[in-house]
Amino acid sequence: ETGVTQTPRHLVMGMTNKKSLKCEQHLGHNAMYWYKQSAKKPLELMFVYNFKEQTENNSVPSRFSPECPNSSHLFLHLHTLQPEDSALYLCASSQELAGVSSRADTQYFGPGTRLTVL
Amino acid sequence: GENVEQHPSTLSVQEGDSAVIKCTYSDSASNYFPWYKQELGKRPQLIIDIRSNVGEKKDQRIAVTLNKTAKHFSLHITETQPEDSAVYFCASTGYSSASKIIFGSGTRLSIRP
C-alpha cells in the first residue's frame, strides 16, 4: 500500500536528541492524524489536522510538536523525549473528519514509525 | 471524559466457529462506529463500520450491530478462518467531537486449527 507513507520506519534516539517523523498521503484527503500505539494504551489519538488547521490536541506533552504545512504532509517533531515515549507512531488520513460526512471519513493508516528512546 | 470499553481482551475460537467482540461507548452524541483489524506487524485497516441511523450491517462473514439505547456495538465474525487471527479495535466518534476519535483497547483474536 502506498496511499499513506511514513518515514523513517524505525528510529532510535537519546533523550537529548531532536528528531522528526514525516507522514505523506497521496489520497487527496483533508484530515490527518497522529496516533501513539503502545502495549499499555493500544491506539491513542494525539493530534488531528483538518485543512492544515489543528482541531485536536489530546493533552499531548509539549515535547511532541506537530506541523502540517499542507494537506498532504504531516510532521511530528520530537525533543527531549522520555523512555516511556517509546512506541509505534501511526499517521492516518481521511477525506473528511470522522463522523462528519456519511461517506468520506474512513481513516487510512500509514505503516508507522517504531520509536525507541534510550 | 468519553471512553470506549472493549471486551474481551483476548479471544480464542476453533476454526469455523463464530467470534463476537463487544464495545460500549459513553458519549451519547457518537454517531460513527468503525472496526479496524491489525495483523501482526501491519497497519490497522478498516473492515466494517456502522452509523447511528442503522442497527445492523453485514459484509460477507462480518457483521456489526448497534444498540443506541444501551450504547454498545458488537462485531460478529462467522465461519472463522486462520487469516482472521489479528487484533481488532472498535472506535467511536460523533458530531459533538468530530475530530476526537476514541479507540477501544483491542481484542487479540486467535483462530485454532
Side-chain angles (χ1 to χ4, degrees):
Chain A
E1 296 182 38
T2 58
V4 182
T5 58
Q6 289 184 244
T7 55
R9 296 293 307 276
H10 300 272
L11 177 62
V12 179
M13 59 187 288
M15 288 190 287
T16 59
N17 290 159
K18 286 185 181 179
K19 297 287 184 183
S20 295
L21 310 185
K22 179 183 177 182
C23 176
E24 185 173 359
Q25 56 96 0
H26 311 274
L27 302 169
H29 290 170
N30 299 314
M32 296 188 77
Y33 313 78
W34 277 118
Y35 288 89
K36 175 183 178 182
Q37 186 173 36
S38 61
K40 294 184 178 180
K41 292 185 180 180
L43 265 173
E44 190 177 359
L45 180 67
M46 300 176 71
F47 300 103
V48 181
Y49 279 82
N50 192 36
F51 290 97
K52 302 188 299 179
E53 299 297 320
Q54 187 179 124
T55 59
E56 189 72 38
N57 177 335
N58 199 21
S59 302
V60 181
S62 59
R63 56 185 184 271
F64 295 92
S65 174
E67 179 190 359
C68 189
N70 54 61
S71 293
S72 299
H73 295 85
L74 185 63
F75 295 89
L76 188 62
H77 304 298
L78 315 173
H79 178 47
T80 60
L81 294 192
Q82 304 297 312
E84 58 264 30
D85 296 322
S86 298
L88 180 69
Y89 288 85
L90 288 160
C91 172
S93 72
S94 60
Q95 180 66 45
E96 306 289 348
L97 284 176
V100 172
S101 169
S102 63
R103 290 290 180 269
D105 48 11
T106 299
Q107 288 192 31
Y108 295 85
F109 284 84
T113 295
R114 174 70 61 187
L115 174 67
T116 302
V117 182
L118 301 176
Chain B
E2 298 92 349
N3 73 313
V4 175
E5 292 190 4
Q6 183 171 346
H7 299 282
S9 57
T10 60
L11 180 60
S12 178
V13 301
Q14 192 75 33
E15 181 178 350
D17 289 350
S18 296
V20 180
I21 303 171
K22 299 181 179 180
C23 286
T24 303
Y25 60 97
S26 60
D27 185 358
S28 56
S30 295
N31 67 343
Y32 175 60
F33 308 91
W35 284 90
Y36 287 84
K37 175 183 180 182
Q38 187 174 25
E39 297 178 56
L40 189 62
K42 297 188 176 182
R43 69 193 77 189
Q45 289 192 301
L46 180 77
I47 54 171
I48 196 167
D49 57 17
I50 193 167
R51 300 181 192 277
S52 57
N53 59 344
V54 176
E56 183 177 358
K57 183 177 178 180
K58 287 187 71 174
D59 182 4
Q60 300 183 339
R61 297 185 298 107
I62 295 174
V64 56
T65 58
L66 171 66
N67 183 326
K68 287 175 57 181
T69 303
K71 290 193 284 187
H72 66 69
F73 56 112
S74 301
L75 177 70
H76 305 254
I77 306 174
T78 58
E79 300 172 22
T80 53
Q81 301 171 4
E83 55 265 36
D84 295 330
S85 294
V87 178
Y88 291 81
F89 295 97
C90 63
S92 76
T93 190
Y95 287 114
S96 67
S97 56
S99 59
K100 192 172 182 73
I101 303 142
I102 302 172
F103 280 82
S105 55
T107 296
R108 185 174 299 280
L109 175 63
S110 301
I111 307 301
R112 302 190 304 271

